[in-house]
Amino acid sequence: MSKVRPVVAIVDDDPRLLESLENLLESAGYAARIFSSAGSLLVSGLSDVDLLITDIGMPGTDGFELRDLVKKTRADLPVFLITGRHEIADQHRAKGISGFFRKPFDGQALLAAVSDALRNQEPRDEHES
């Protein structure tokens, strides 16, 4: 039996943004899993995650580092980076991401990008880990 709703993991240290994105994604039919740090996501695991949205600027492991860690075990996982910064300090570090959004971003544009990324993803067996 395959999953009915794609799972989107969101990592951000701002609880208001986590709640807002969780509501937006759930209202669009996705299952949202929220995490306040990269470490909490990594402890929880990535086996059921279909797409990752992570903030760049977080204490501890930042969004770029998290993306790099995730790509080692799940190279196929679409990763979106979000930031409140108005520039990317290191442009070459942004390569290899599925999407980049500056806060505040348009929720409908994010949903469209999520939909596109998931549509272009190879179907996975739900028992993969």
Side-chain angles (χ1 to χ4, degrees):
M1 183 164 125
S2 64
K3 284 190 276 187
V4 175
R5 300 189 318 156
V7 176
V8 179
I10 309 151
V11 182
D12 199 301
D13 59 341
D14 179 348
R16 293 170 300 175
L17 183 73
L18 283 174
E19 182 181 353
S20 175
L21 281 176
E22 179 181 33
N23 290 337
L24 176 69
L25 290 160
E26 293 275 345
S27 72
Y30 298 105
R33 293 178 51 209
I34 60 173
F35 302 91
S36 59
S37 70
S40 59
L41 167 68
L42 295 171
V43 166
S44 173
L46 299 166
S47 63
D48 67 337
V49 174
D50 296 301
L51 185 136
L52 170 63
I53 299 172
T54 183
D55 188 21
I56 290 175
M58 294 183 294
T61 304
D62 71 20
F64 287 120
E65 293 167 327
L66 177 58
R67 183 267 323 262
D68 293 345
L69 289 169
V70 165
K71 289 298 184 180
K72 288 178 182 175
T73 56
R74 291 279 313 277
D76 63 321
L77 186 69
V79 178
F80 287 11
L81 297 177
I82 56 177
T83 185
R85 303 173 191 163
H86 291 289
E87 74 285 335
I88 302 176
D90 199 346
Q91 288 286 340
H92 82 272
R93 292 185 76 195
K95 290 186 172 141
I97 60 168
S98 300
F100 178 79
F101 293 87
R102 288 190 178 98
K103 301 174 192 174
F105 46 81
D106 180 291
Q108 295 307 310
L110 178 67
L111 288 177
V114 166
S115 176
D116 287 347
L118 291 173
R119 189 178 319 111
N120 293 330
Q121 198 177 15
E122 291 293 318
R124 292 189 322 123
D125 180 345
E126 74 174 11
H127 299 291
E128 267 184 41
S129 44

